[in-house]
Amino acid sequence: MASQDAAAAAQRSWGWVLRVLGALLLLTSLALALPRAPDLPVESLVGRYAPPPSDFVEVRGQVVHLRDEGRRDDPEPIVLIHGTSASLHTWEGWVRALKPARRVITFDLPGFGLTGPFDGAYAPDDYRGETYARFVIDLLDHLRVERAVLGGNSLGGEVAWRTAVLAPARVARLILVDPAGADFVPQSLPLGFVVARTPGLNRLAEWMLPREVVQGSVENVYGDPARVTPELVERYYQLTLREGNRRALRIRMEQLEPGAGIEGLKTIRAPTLILWGGRDRLIPPSVARVFTESIEGSRLVEFPGRGHVPHEEDPAATVGAVREFLDLPPR
């Protein structure tokens, strides 16, 4: 009997070894087959992706890519926060529509776009939602913005509501676009997120990245993939290659804590608009109930044909709801 148990244990151990060897062979074959995609220095990207009115400001030692547009006399500027693997460019349609009447501030979060990984006074390798919220408060202090209309998509939506929980006096109104932070089961994950969450593959992706992975990921978060242009894919691809961003994404994925702190939503008293893409497969529209039931007086507007980034996919339609929420006349 003992010999049979020993044989079974040996068989299980050998099976585990074979699986590890198989994974290593797969990773090796991928490494040999795929072209290398090294990090790009930020200087090589600034000319293309940071033309005026882009600026770079220093917040507690962290250099931040930022755009500050529109009316300078606005007492409550609109501050918009992008999602995972995106950049301030995702808000360009909204900015064009809103800046004639309001001051609009967009920026790249640390670890994304041209801002790059956390630096300066900030602890390295901490990309949790609450850390980002504290960074936003520091940015508002730097810009001398006492109160703002705070908006965000996906990760940016989580950062926005966490900021409202941490510093309610700083948030005059809240706009959440398919926000993250709740515990949910995605219907479909973008391939780039799958890679970033898979041990071994995520390390490999730090020095090689097929453009097709980025294209498939962007198409996955659009309700209508036909709206994804080559120029859009190229921007996402190039900014993902910014030095340090892929490593930051891997660490961010490792630090995910779905549902942590979500009870804080019930403390929010700022008037809140919630926008959701009806074809969002990453954070399904059913998740909207968590926010509408937790934030007293919040209003939900759904866009049936749009996906996880409805503000980028269809800025004209989505900004209309924002203009109404802010009591701006329709255009």
Side-chain angles (χ1 to χ4, degrees):
M1 187 70 176
S3 62
Q4 290 178 346
D5 291 342
Q11 188 174 16
R12 287 194 299 271
S13 297
W14 181 241
W16 179 84
V17 170
L18 287 176
R19 287 194 295 273
V20 171
L21 286 174
L24 289 173
L25 285 172
L26 176 61
L27 292 174
T28 302
S29 63
L30 285 171
L32 293 173
L34 296 176
R36 187 156 185 256
D39 277 353
L40 297 177
V42 64
E43 294 81 9
S44 68
L45 299 167
V46 168
R48 183 171 184 179
Y49 296 111
S54 277
D55 195 8
F56 289 85
V57 300
E58 189 171 318
V59 180
R60 300 186 64 204
Q62 172 74 54
V63 177
V64 182
H65 177 218
L66 174 142
R67 291 179 182 172
D68 190 345
E69 305 176 67
R71 294 180 50 176
R72 309 309 299 176
D73 60 347
D74 190 342
E76 295 178 349
I78 302 168
V79 179
L80 301 173
I81 311 169
H82 66 77
T84 299
S85 294
S87 62
L88 59 76
H89 305 85
T90 191
W91 299 109
E92 287 178 338
W94 277 23
V95 173
R96 280 193 297 271
L98 295 172
K99 68 180 182 181
R102 300 294 298 266
R103 180 183 177 189
V104 187
I105 299 167
T106 56
F107 61 96
D108 291 345
L109 286 168
F112 301 107
L114 296 176
T115 293
F118 267 122
D119 198 2
Y122 298 95
D125 299 342
D126 183 356
Y127 296 98
R128 294 171 299 157
E130 184 170 324
T131 304
Y132 276 130
R134 295 187 185 281
F135 166 79
V136 168
I137 295 169
D138 290 341
L139 179 64
L140 294 178
D141 288 344
H142 175 84
L143 297 173
R144 298 181 180 178
V145 173
E146 292 299 321
R147 279 170 62 83
V149 175
L150 204 58
N153 166 242
S154 193
L155 165 62
E158 177 185 351
V159 175
W161 68 254
R162 287 188 184 277
T163 303
V165 171
L166 286 173
R170 308 297 293 271
V171 180
R173 291 173 179 257
L174 196 57
I175 303 170
L176 304 178
V177 186
D178 300 64
D183 192 6
F184 66 94
V185 177
Q187 295 173 355
S188 177
L189 275 176
L191 182 56
F193 288 10
V194 174
V195 171
R197 295 173 65 169
T198 304
L201 278 180
N202 53 15
R203 299 277 182 171
L204 192 63
E206 288 182 30
W207 60 281
M208 59 179 54
L209 182 66
R211 186 177 271 97
E212 292 76 12
V213 169
V214 175
Q215 179 174 339
S217 298
V218 178
E219 290 176 350
N220 184 274
V221 298
Y222 267 55
D224 179 6
R227 288 174 171 257
V228 176
T229 65
E231 293 76 19
L232 182 68
V233 172
E234 182 66 10
R235 187 187 76 212
Y236 272 96
Y237 179 70
Q238 293 289 328
L239 293 180
T240 298
L241 296 180
R242 189 257 192 241
E243 53 191 350
N245 280 358
R246 283 177 286 181
R247 180 177 181 275
L249 176 61
R250 170 177 61 80
I251 295 169
R252 162 73 187 160
M253 290 299 181
E254 292 170 351
Q255 294 173 345
L256 287 176
E257 299 176 306
I262 198 71
E263 64 279 357
L265 290 174
K266 295 181 179 180
T267 69
I268 294 175
R269 294 294 176 264
T272 301
L273 173 67
I274 302 170
L275 307 182
W276 222 285
R279 292 184 183 175
D280 188 346
R281 297 187 298 159
L282 177 57
I283 308 182
S286 58
V287 180
R289 282 188 58 189
V290 175
F291 294 89
T292 56
E293 293 178 0
S294 297
I295 304 176
E296 184 178 344
S298 60
R299 178 190 172 210
L300 172 66
V301 180
E302 188 172 312
F303 297 88
R306 302 300 166 235
H308 183 61
V309 288
H311 64 289
E312 178 179 292
E313 186 177 357
D314 195 349
T318 51
V319 81
V322 174
R323 296 185 71 88
E324 181 181 347
F325 177 63
L326 300 178
D327 297 319
L328 296 175
R331 297 187 71 189

